[in-house]
């Protein structure tokens, strides 16, 4: 009997059979995790003859309940739907009996949902199987920003990653140490998983208000269309945002997708583009400080890739594992895209900077493909052998031995391989390691600038421009031990 390999996460959100358009894949930061489609036509698999020998991930936490602010919006919608007697038909027929999916207010808003826990656990299982880095019983160190939902994501990841076997009676084996870094504070500067909070000028570069201007161009039209299904109640433009958010959020919290059916495809595309503008101009390439705050993590990983897996650096007191995991928040992912110089190329004429008014379907920068819950940017270091002789037999997972190996780097964003501009000569459009190192140290270092200088921290005596937390334990961390005990 053959067992199909299925993603745990695919079990959570029902696939809309036969539907070609899935609003849950166009909901930007409210989307549950899904693998982004291939954008550059690069196959997803690791190229034949190559194995990944080192990888670094920076991830958003898993699906969560709404923030208290957006929850207040849901409560206002509920109050409005309950306030009066009215008739609702068509896609809105359910709203008189709709109840917000929060049943324990002190413990739910702000925190992870069960879907988020499953997304994290599932990734742990996936990466253990995909890379085969950690021998049974070995420990792993993981980095996390300290907000509870982020720590919970890293904990569930660790539980998934370590879920094989039985180590109940061997507490010195099969454990994860989670290094918890201060979250969104201004005194850790570049040495953080939330570095935008450590860059005082970053806020001045945030022009994401353009997203609200764009929302104002379509929300009234949607309200007018929907009001034809209501008698005795009138939706306003301001009701549309919370209703569209409820498609993804309620699907994640309790599996109810009725809000997903309320809106038409074009209305989802407008909703999605507003999120694209929000991230592109807020924390992405449209913010002139974006690359500056994303660069320190990219540079730290590039330096570790140049050394190779599981190497200790001079002055370091942590030996990073071959799989380097860092858990954080949505707004810390677009800066990594900027620092890597992805998705913003002037070679795509007329696409970037993103238009404030007109979505260009050719754009690759899409919030849904980057900052969906548990979204990530990953860098993989590949070891590739000389092409094996046609008669050679391959052992799955083993490094090819036909010739000397060469190293290459691949970027994946929500699993989709993304080409590094001007550096695609390796197998599967990967970038030769030495060329990647030089691209980061010259082109991207120049474009990103020095953190202290660009952020206006010259007069702050202890400000730092580098992220050293992967190799040197900072003073104000907390450590948590996770194991299946
Ligand atoms: C409820 O209805 C009253 C009377 O129509 C109105 O003044 C009030 O603003 C409504 N409240 C909500 C939450 O919609
Ligand atoms: C693994 O972690 C456990 C718990 O902290 C510890 O006792 C043990 O020494 C670690 N093993 C190794 C090889 O570091
Ligand atoms: C950090 O924030 C505090 C409180 O707002 C402020 O007093 C301090 O100057 C900030 N530090 C830096 C380096 O910006
Ligand atoms: C920098 O100095 C400030 C003020 O003394 C302190 O709060 C902060 O923890 C220091 N940061 C680092 C990284 O040492
Ligand atoms: C993105 O592209 C725009 C337009 O060409 C440019 O002004 C901006 O500096 C680029 N951002 C980054 C991070 O490279
Ligand atoms: C640093 O301090 C000097 C001397 O007080 C001042 O002239 C300069 O503007 C300050 N620079 C920044 C970036 O705050």
């Amino acid at each position: 009997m053959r067992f199909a390999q299925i993603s745990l996460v695919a079990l959570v959100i029902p696939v809309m059979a036969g539907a070609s358009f899935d609003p849950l894949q166009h909901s930007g930061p409210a989307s549950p995790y899904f693998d982004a489609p291939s954008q550059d036509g690069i196959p997803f698999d690791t190229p034949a003859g190559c194995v990944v020998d080192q990888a670094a991930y920076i991830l958003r936490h898993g699906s969560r309940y709404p923030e208290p602010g957006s929850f207040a919006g849901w409560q206002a919608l509920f109050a409005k739907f309950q306030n009066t007697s009215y008739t609702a038909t068509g896609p809105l027929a359910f709203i008189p009996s709709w109840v917000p999916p929060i049943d324990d207010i002190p413990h739910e808003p702000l925190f992870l949902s069960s879907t988020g826990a499953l997304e994290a656990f599932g990734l742990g299982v996936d990466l253990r199987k995909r890379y085969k880095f950690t021998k049974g019983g070995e420990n792993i160190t993981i980095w996390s920003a300290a907000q509870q939902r982020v720590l919970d994501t890293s904990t569930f990841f660790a539980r998934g990653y370590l879920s094989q076997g039985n180590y109940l009676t061997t507490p010195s084996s099969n454990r994860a140490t989670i290094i918890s870094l201060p979250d969104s504070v201004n005194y850790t500067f570049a040495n953080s998983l939330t570095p935008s909070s450590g860059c005082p000028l970053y806020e001045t570069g945030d022009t994401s208000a353009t997203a609200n201007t764009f929302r104002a161009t379509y929300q009234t039209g949607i309200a007018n269309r929907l009001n034809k299904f209501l008698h005795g109640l009138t939706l306003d433009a301001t009701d549309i945002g919370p209703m569209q958010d409820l498609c993804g959020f309620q699907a994640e919290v309790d599996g109810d997708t009725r809000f997903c059916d309320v809106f038409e495809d074009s209305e989802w595309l407008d909703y999605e583009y507003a999120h694209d503008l929000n991230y592109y101009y807020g924390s992405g390439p449209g913010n002139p400080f974006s690359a500056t705050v994303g660069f320190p993590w990219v540079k730290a990983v590039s330096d570790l890739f140049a050394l190779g897996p599981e190497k200790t650096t001079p002055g370091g007191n942590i030996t990073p594992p071959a799989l380097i995991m860092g858990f954080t928040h949505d707004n810390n992912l677009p800066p990594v895209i900027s620092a890597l110089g992805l998705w913003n190329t002037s070679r795509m004429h007329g696409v970037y900077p993103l238009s404030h008014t007109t979505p260009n379907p050719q754009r690759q920068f899409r919030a849904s493909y980057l900052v969906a819950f548990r979204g990530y940017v990953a860098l993989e270091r590949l070891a590739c052998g000389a092409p094996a002789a046609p008669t050679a037999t391959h052992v799955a997972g083993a490094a090819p031995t036909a010739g000397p190996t060469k190293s290459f780097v691949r970027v994946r964003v929500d699993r989709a391989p993304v080409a590094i501009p001007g550096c695609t000569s390796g197998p599967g459009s990967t970038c030769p390691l030495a060329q990647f190192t030089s691209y980061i140290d010259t082109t991207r270092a120049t474009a990103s600038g020095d953190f202290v200088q660009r952020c206006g921290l010259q007069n702050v005596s202890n400000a730092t421009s580098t992220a050293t937390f992967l190799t040197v334990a900072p003073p104000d961390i907390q450590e948590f031990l996770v194991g299946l005990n």
Side-chain angles (χ1 to χ4, degrees):
M1 178 164 180
R2 250 182 95 233
F3 291 88
Q5 280 200 355
I6 52 170
S7 154
L8 285 167
V9 174
L11 298 173
V12 185
I13 306 295
V15 176
M16 295 178 167
S20 55
F21 187 91
D22 182 355
L24 292 172
Q25 300 197 352
H26 297 276
S27 288
S31 297
Y33 181 80
F34 62 99
D35 286 348
S38 169
Q39 290 197 356
D40 295 308
I42 307 171
F44 274 60
D45 289 344
T46 297
C50 302
V51 291
V52 176
D53 67 6
Q54 198 175 10
Y57 282 66
I58 184 163
L59 309 88
R60 185 190 186 196
H61 55 75
S63 293
R64 57 160 168 78
Y65 286 90
E67 297 264 9
S70 8
F71 179 47
W74 296 13
Q75 288 174 303
L77 203 60
F78 179 56
K80 180 167 178 167
F81 290 171
Q82 294 292 308
N83 194 24
T84 177
S85 69
Y86 59 98
T87 57
T89 57
L92 294 179
F94 72 98
I95 67 167
S97 61
W98 173 75
V99 176
I102 304 283
D103 51 16
D104 186 9
I105 292 176
H107 299 105
E108 290 170 347
L110 201 62
F111 299 112
L112 216 57
S113 64
S114 300
T115 297
L118 187 52
E119 287 165 339
F121 190 97
L123 185 69
V125 173
D126 282 354
L127 296 193
R128 181 68 174 262
K129 293 198 292 195
R130 193 178 306 163
Y131 297 131
K132 305 173 175 68
F133 284 158
T134 310
K135 185 181 170 301
E138 281 179 7
N139 294 343
I140 185 167
T141 299
I142 291 168
W143 287 263
S144 178
Q147 200 176 324
Q148 194 61 45
R149 64 187 185 226
V150 185
L151 277 178
D152 289 346
T153 302
S154 43
T155 303
F156 283 111
F157 172 85
R159 288 184 179 278
Y161 195 76
L162 300 173
S163 57
Q164 87 303 333
N166 179 352
Y167 296 90
L168 287 176
T169 56
T170 50
S172 62
S173 303
N174 201 54
R175 306 290 131 159
T177 299
I178 297 176
I179 297 183
S180 166
L181 301 164
D183 194 319
S184 305
V185 296
N186 75 349
Y187 57 81
T188 49
F189 313 106
N191 193 23
S192 170
L193 280 165
T194 51
S196 54
S197 301
C199 177
L201 291 180
Y202 175 83
E203 292 292 327
T204 66
D206 179 342
T207 53
S208 59
T210 186
N212 286 332
T213 310
F214 181 73
R215 287 183 182 110
T217 67
Y218 67 83
Q219 288 181 332
T220 304
I222 299 180
N224 291 343
R225 181 182 70 78
L226 290 176
N227 281 329
K228 301 198 178 88
F229 297 106
L230 294 172
H231 298 281
L233 183 76
T234 304
L235 293 177
D236 305 315
T238 52
D239 296 322
I240 301 306
M243 288 173 71
Q244 292 199 290
D245 290 346
L246 274 156
C247 166
F249 275 93
Q250 190 158 5
E252 289 140 16
V253 168
D254 71 0
D256 180 340
T257 56
R258 289 177 295 178
F259 278 104
C260 302
D261 300 331
V262 167
F263 302 94
E264 296 180 344
D265 296 0
S266 65
E267 295 167 348
W268 287 116
L269 293 176
D270 283 339
Y271 171 75
E272 178 174 49
Y273 193 61
H275 288 305
D276 299 346
L277 291 174
N278 179 50
Y279 285 94
Y280 182 88
Y281 287 105
S283 53
N287 178 335
F289 299 94
S290 172
T292 310
V293 303
F295 184 76
W297 181 86
V298 168
K299 168 70 174 155
V301 169
S302 172
D303 288 352
L304 288 171
F305 277 18
L307 285 175
E310 298 179 278
K311 294 285 186 341
T312 307
T313 52
N317 55 16
I318 304 173
T319 303
L323 177 62
I324 302 163
M325 301 295 293
F327 292 87
T328 181
H329 300 274
D330 53 352
N331 277 317
N332 298 284
L333 270 53
V336 172
I337 295 292
S338 301
L340 286 166
L342 307 179
W343 287 351
N344 193 41
T345 170
S346 55
R347 278 175 292 165
M348 290 185 76
H349 290 292
V351 177
Y352 302 106
L354 291 183
S355 163
H356 290 185
T357 56
T358 314
N360 187 325
Q362 282 188 289
R363 73 191 182 284
Q364 297 178 295
F365 189 99
R366 287 181 199 245
S368 303
Y369 299 164
L370 172 63
V371 290
F373 287 116
R374 211 214 67 196
Y376 61 81
V377 181
L379 290 117
E380 293 177 337
R381 197 183 103 130
L382 288 78
C384 305
T391 53
T393 51
H394 288 273
V395 179
T401 50
T405 59
K406 288 190 177 144
S407 295
F408 301 88
V409 175
R410 157 171 280 184
V411 180
R412 290 184 187 266
V413 182
D414 291 5
R415 200 146 182 246
V418 173
I420 295 168
C423 192
T424 55
S425 64
S429 300
T430 55
C431 177
L433 177 64
Q435 217 177 318
F436 176 77
T437 309
S438 146
Y439 172 69
I440 298 303
D441 288 352
T442 58
T443 314
R444 296 323 299 167
T446 305
S448 303
D450 176 77
F451 191 96
V452 166
Q453 298 296 321
R454 286 246 180 128
C455 292
L457 290 162
Q458 293 90 330
N459 292 347
V460 179
S461 63
N462 65 354
T464 172
S465 291
T466 53
T468 54
F469 62 84
L470 294 173
T471 51
V472 184
D476 49 356
I477 54 164
Q478 284 186 288
E479 292 193 19
F480 298 90
L481 195 62
V482 179
L484 299 175
N485 46 12

